[in-house]
């Protein structure tokens, strides 16, 4: 019996005990957004730390932050082998509205091979698989094929406010050759997916000032600059007629989509006609030469998200506005940086501001994009592990939004990040009747166990 067969036998023999243990984890109402649950958060951090100790991890610590604590653990007895950092979170979303739950949210119940409870799929179920996978290796072989560290936070559901600072302050402790996270979905049941890229984000407010006050349109209309006219002209200059961003240099550093990436994204199976119908649109829109999925995940954007100026109350006030405001956001892709893109927009504003008005941009949101190339060895090892267990090669996909903590790990630790989906989109995360499909409980354990072996065979 080889090591993977031993591990699989261990998972089968311990399945019921493991599920009962996961139910204990799920019974703790670790809602990070509600101050009344602060003691539950602490209790859940302690439970998580004890689970690592029971699994055989060492140096287990509950480390304070300015918010909820981080649980750290490691096992570092594989000299010459890569070090893997596993990130996850033990906090959960509020369960309301309670009346929509078929069973109480913190009383786990299995129905139709699905484990129902708040946090079952986001993220306690997937996180628990890593703990039991480590336990299985140590119980069956007495060692691990790689070195392992865990960084498990309690603030993911409230935007990980203190996590970037924690990672920066503990870069040496968390140093690793690869970061593995399971907090993203599979494409569908039976079809695994690896998310290899996320877009970054910037946000800014543009203020256009004409006269020092709103003016009577009967006295001044037609004779002075109108701040709203000037602002709309400026905003219109941000795009060409075909939907391309017209800011000089905006695309210069963009990492182009490879033929392999485009082929993989096409497998995601986005029905553009269905999107048009569902949204009541006659046409989609965007940068020419790209599909909807490519535009919304692998290409950068500039969006006008709000415009205000003049009288906003009921009825019409005949004035010439002296001031107008707009808010814009950009989604960024690999090799773009927030400050460089905002510098380009600043230059564009300076050269396209209509005569007679002043325009300034105030910068606010900023977040870097993330990408691990799909041909990276750690990605290919993950893909091979999925295919061996699920019988299907995973789809490599990108996310159109941002998960700031992913980019933080990638940048501060200078390590590739592998986002291994073990959940399903339909599992009601953040909604009533959240569940974790237990087919993915079983196959997820086997996939992770095989992945650890494959990582151990990679050069450090």
């Amino acid at each position: 019996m080889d090591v993977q067969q031993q591990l699989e036998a261990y998972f089968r023999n311990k399945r019921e005990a493991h599920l009962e243990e996961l139910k204990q984890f799920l019974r703790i109402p670790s809602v990070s957004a509600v101050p009344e649950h602060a003691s539950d958060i602490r209790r859940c951090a302690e439970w998580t730390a004890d689970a690592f100790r029971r699994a055989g991890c060492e140096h287990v610590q509950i480390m304070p932050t300015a918010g909820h604590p981080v649980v750290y653990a490691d096992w570092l007895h594989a000299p010459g082998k890569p070090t893997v950092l596993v990130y996850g979170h033990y906090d959960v979303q509020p369960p309301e509205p309670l009346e929509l739950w078929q069973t109480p949210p913190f009383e786990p119940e299995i129905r139709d091979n699905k484990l129902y409870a708040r946090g079952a799929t986001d993220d306690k179920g997937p996180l628990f698989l890593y703990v039991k996978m480590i336990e299985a290796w140590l119980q069956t072989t007495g060692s691990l094929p790689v070195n392992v560290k865990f960084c498990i936070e309690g603030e993911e559901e409230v935007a990980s406010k203190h996590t970037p600072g924690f990672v920066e302050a503990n870069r040496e402790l968390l140093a690793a050759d690869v970061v593995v996270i399971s907090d993203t979905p599979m494409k569908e049941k039976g079809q695994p997916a690896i998310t290899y890229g996320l877009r970054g984000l910037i946000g800014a407010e543009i203020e256009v000032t004409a006269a020092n006050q709103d003016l009577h349109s009967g006295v001044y209309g037609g004779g002075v600059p109108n701040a709203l006219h000037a602002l709309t002209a400026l905003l219109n200059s941000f795009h060409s007629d075909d939907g391309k961003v017209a800011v000089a240099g905006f695309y210069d550093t963009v990492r182009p989509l490879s033929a392999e990436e485009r082929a993989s994204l096409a497998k995601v199976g986005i029905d553009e006609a269905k999107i048009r119908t569902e949204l009541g649109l006659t046409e989609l829109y965007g940068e020419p030469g790209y599909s909807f999925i490519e535009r919304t995940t692998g290409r950068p954007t500039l969006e006008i998200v709000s415009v205000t100026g003049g009288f906003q109350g009921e009825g019409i006030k005949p004035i010439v506005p002296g001031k107008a405001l707009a808010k814009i956001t950009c989604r960024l892709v690999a090799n773009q940086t927030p400050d460089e893109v905002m510098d380009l927009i600043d230059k564009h504003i300076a050269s396209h501001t209509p005569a007679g008005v002043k325009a300034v941009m105030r910068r606010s949101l900023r977040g870097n994009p993330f990408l691990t190339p799909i041909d990276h060895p750690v990605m290919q090892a993950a893909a091979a592990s999925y295919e061996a267990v699920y019988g299907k090669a995973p789809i490599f996909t990108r996310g159109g939004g941002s998960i700031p903590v992913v980019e933080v790990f990638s940048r501060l630790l200078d390590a590739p990040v592998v986002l291994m989906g073990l959940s399903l989109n339909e599992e009601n995360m953040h909604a009533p009747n959240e569940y974790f499909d237990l087919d993915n409980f079983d196959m997820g354990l086997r996939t992770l166990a095989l992945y650890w072996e494959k990582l151990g065979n990679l050069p450090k």
Side-chain angles (χ1 to χ4, degrees), residues 426-443:
E426 61 264 30
E427 288 177 333
N428 299 324
M429 60 184 69
H430 295 201
N433 301 307
E434 178 181 351
Y435 69 89
F436 188 36
D437 191 306
L438 295 184
D439 284 344
N440 288 329
F441 179 93
D442 297 322
M443 290 191 285

Side-chain angles (χ1 to χ4, degrees), residues 379-397:
M379 299 291 271
Q380 291 302 308
S385 302
Y386 270 128
E387 187 169 7
V389 174
Y390 281 83
K392 287 186 179 180
I395 290 173
F396 285 98
T397 186

Side-chain angles (χ1 to χ4, degrees), residues 58-101:
E58 302 171 340
H59 306 116
V60 180
Q61 304 176 61
I62 298 176
M63 303 180 70
T65 72
H68 300 313
V70 169
V71 179
Y72 172 85
D74 64 34
W75 188 93
L76 305 174
H77 301 290
K81 297 295 185 178
T83 296
V84 185
L85 176 68
V86 178
Y87 163 84
H89 64 94
Y90 62 84
D91 65 321
V92 301
Q93 282 282 329
E96 286 78 9
L98 297 176
E99 66 274 11
L100 297 183
W101 284 81

Side-chain angles (χ1 to χ4, degrees), residues 346-374:
D346 248 340
K347 291 178 182 177
H348 182 94
I349 290 171
S351 62
H352 288 77
T353 299
V357 303
K358 297 177 181 177
V360 296
M361 183 176 78
R362 291 186 284 270
R363 307 179 183 200
S364 54
L365 301 176
R366 48 169 52 77
N368 289 296
F370 145 78
L371 185 136
T372 298
I374 62 177

